[in-house]
Amino acid sequence: DQQVKQNSPSLSVQEGRISILNCDYTNSMFDYFLWYKKYPAEGPTFLISISSIKDKNEDGRFTVFLNKSAKHLSLHIVPSQPGDSAVYFCAASALNNFNKFYFGSGTKLNVKP
Amino acid sequence: NAGVTQTPKFQVLKTGQSMTLQCAQDMNHNSMYWYRQDPGMGLRLIYYSASEGTTDKGEVPNGYNVSRLNKREFSLRLESAAPSQTSVYFCASSIAGGHQPQHFGDGTRLSIL
């Protein structure tokens, strides 16, 4: 059973608008969350992370929000650019086993010029 | 700066053949990981090595063995390949275990006929 879920396989957004990618998790022991970006034929690259002691973390155009009570996190990209078109994975790990990362199935973002 | 290098990039095997996937990192990272990615699914952890000399099972270890040859290298072996092991395999490394982002190689696409 998947402990991290990304229920939207794809998302299409106009350049300059906001992209919101969502991720849900089931394991209440997860306390560290990451977003990775993946281009075709390349490995995932780290984008941004958040610890469970925070509810928001911002890095330039990228902001991650964490709602622990809902077991939900989201990645906001503002403004979206065509170069942001990629597959985005969320991942989570728990303090009691922090080497084990659980990934969602990914959301393919298409930013249209 | 190569980062994480995986060899080979592509391989086709017959059922029952054996194969070793190689991974090397030049970032002086302590922890290394092997994942597989299947269509419609996220990355799933096969094995990891928190530090040189240690290895542990991940989420889907059956059918695989690993060797942490030294601090730089972490190999994944399929002793008797099965069609269910057709996948894209990613190696990753991080500075240490714990809540640190991982750096990924570009993957090995493995097909087993």
Side-chain angles (χ1 to χ4, degrees):
Chain A
D1 189 28
Q2 275 195 295
Q3 299 188 51
V4 178
K5 297 180 183 179
Q6 293 176 257
N7 292 319
S8 298
S10 63
L11 175 67
S12 188
V13 170
Q14 205 69 36
E15 180 179 6
R17 306 292 293 268
I18 185 171
S19 295
I20 300 176
L21 295 91
N22 294 303
C23 180
D24 297 295
Y25 61 96
T26 58
N27 189 341
S28 57
M29 296 297 290
F30 286 154
D31 65 341
Y32 183 64
F33 305 88
L34 310 92
W35 284 93
Y36 287 87
K37 176 180 180 179
K38 185 182 181 304
Y39 292 117
E42 294 184 8
T45 55
F46 170 71
L47 199 54
I48 192 168
S49 64
I50 189 167
S51 164
S52 61
I53 61 173
K54 295 185 174 181
D55 53 18
K56 176 183 173 182
N57 190 26
E58 195 170 353
D59 184 1
R61 296 186 297 115
F62 302 92
T63 303
V64 56
F65 295 92
L66 175 62
N67 183 334
K68 291 185 288 293
S69 60
K71 294 191 178 69
H72 178 84
L73 65 156
S74 61
L75 175 68
H76 292 210
I77 306 173
V78 184
S80 301
Q81 299 173 353
D84 295 330
S85 297
V87 177
Y88 290 78
F89 292 98
C90 64
S93 70
L95 184 60
N96 64 347
N97 202 339
F98 48 67
N99 278 297
K100 287 191 174 181
F101 287 86
Y102 295 87
F103 282 75
S105 54
T107 296
K108 186 174 184 178
L109 174 65
N110 179 33
V111 180
K112 296 177 287 187
Chain B
N1 188 3
V4 178
T5 302
Q6 292 184 236
T7 54
K9 294 190 184 304
F10 303 94
Q11 185 70 47
V12 179
L13 294 178
K14 294 181 179 178
T15 298
Q17 286 185 314
S18 62
M19 164 114 197
T20 299
L21 280 61
Q22 307 286 353
C23 175
Q25 52 90 10
D26 62 2
M27 296 174 284
N28 201 34
H29 285 174
N30 289 303
S31 302
M32 298 186 73
Y33 309 81
W34 276 105
Y35 292 89
R36 61 178 288 174
Q37 184 192 10
D38 301 301
M41 302 187 74
L43 284 74
R44 291 183 293 168
L45 183 63
I46 304 171
Y47 270 93
Y48 65 94
S49 170
S51 60
E52 187 178 353
T54 69
T55 60
D56 285 288
K57 294 179 181 179
E59 198 179 350
V60 288
N62 291 344
Y64 305 95
N65 287 302
V66 290
S67 296
R68 182 74 183 267
L69 304 170
N70 47 55
K71 190 172 185 179
R72 288 187 66 247
E73 298 172 287
F74 188 37
S75 63
L76 179 71
R77 183 161 178 84
L78 287 70
E79 289 290 351
S80 179
S84 61
Q85 294 178 305
T86 293
S87 189
V88 181
Y89 291 85
F90 289 99
C91 177
S93 69
S94 65
I95 294 173
H99 293 342
Q100 299 286 339
Q102 297 173 347
H103 299 255
F104 285 83
D106 286 339
T108 294
R109 186 173 294 275
L110 183 62
S111 293
I112 299 160
L113 307 177

